Amino acid sequence: MRRAALALLAGALLTGCSTGSDAVDVNNGGEFRYVAGTPRGEVIPPEERASAPEFSGNLLDGEPFSSTALDGDVSVINFWGSWCPPCRVETPEFQEVYADVRDQGVQFLGINVKETDEQFAQAFVDNFGIEFPSLHDPRGEVALAFRDYPANAIPSTIMLDRQGRVAAVYTAEVSQEDLRATLDLLLAEGA
């Protein structure tokens, strides 16, 4: 009986923010979904870091964007959707951190996924006063580019070091404390 209850609970957690059958096939056939990850995430040692893939697309304001714009800075890439409850908690906290570090060589980029109507995404950004840009990625193509990292769990956050290498991966809501600690670590590298 207890095993059955645990299996049912695990299934519910894995489908909490599931999007349905039109999801992009990423990471071994997975769909975009909310999963309970490790809150502290994983910081990758410098000698084990791999270069992040290049990607491009249009920002919510319609402007074109290329990942080369992140070159030379520490970058926080956050995969989010207005349909995802943890994103409503995390995104305003990201804005607070962004306001504190944007003049220290840190860039933030949101990746809005599985949002076919940009109006919902823009309303989300406007409602929370988000100042950092967000790429509109309704088909999850950027997540597909990051296939070696679990960017199909929403929210997910990938942090890049100044060399454009993947330095940290979070597959759950990131606390402000953990975000700041990892940024401090990455900013101190090579300083």
Side-chain angles (χ1 to χ4, degrees), residues 68-173:
T68 58
L70 304 173
D71 291 351
D73 288 331
V74 171
S75 302
V76 177
I77 302 171
N78 177 250
F79 294 82
W80 65 275
S82 68
W83 45 266
C84 179
C87 299
R88 293 184 197 123
V89 173
E90 178 182 70
T91 304
E93 291 184 357
F94 274 40
Q95 173 58 39
E96 289 180 29
V97 175
Y98 171 71
D100 291 342
V101 300
R102 64 178 155 206
D103 296 328
Q104 299 175 27
V106 178
Q107 292 192 55
F108 277 56
L109 176 68
I111 309 288
N112 173 249
V113 295
K114 301 306 292 175
E115 199 90 63
T116 55
D117 189 340
E118 285 180 64
Q119 291 179 349
F120 292 121
Q122 190 61 56
F124 180 90
V125 167
D126 292 345
N127 184 51
F128 290 113
I130 306 305
E131 297 173 327
F132 56 86
S134 277
L135 190 73
H136 183 61
D137 188 28
R139 296 187 56 215
E141 292 167 348
V142 176
L144 186 59
F146 280 95
R147 70 176 46 113
D148 293 333
Y149 305 96
N152 66 324
I154 303 301
S156 286
T157 301
I158 295 175
M159 297 175 73
L160 309 180
D161 63 17
R162 287 186 183 104
Q163 291 77 39
R165 300 175 302 176
V166 176
V169 178
Y170 295 85
T171 58
E173 182 180 324

Side-chain angles (χ1 to χ4, degrees), residues 3 17 22-23 44 51 55 78 93 97 121-122 185:
R3 283 187 183 162
C17 284
D22 63 340
I44 302 167
S51 294
F55 59 91
N78 177 250
E93 291 184 357
V97 175
Q122 190 61 56
L185 179 88

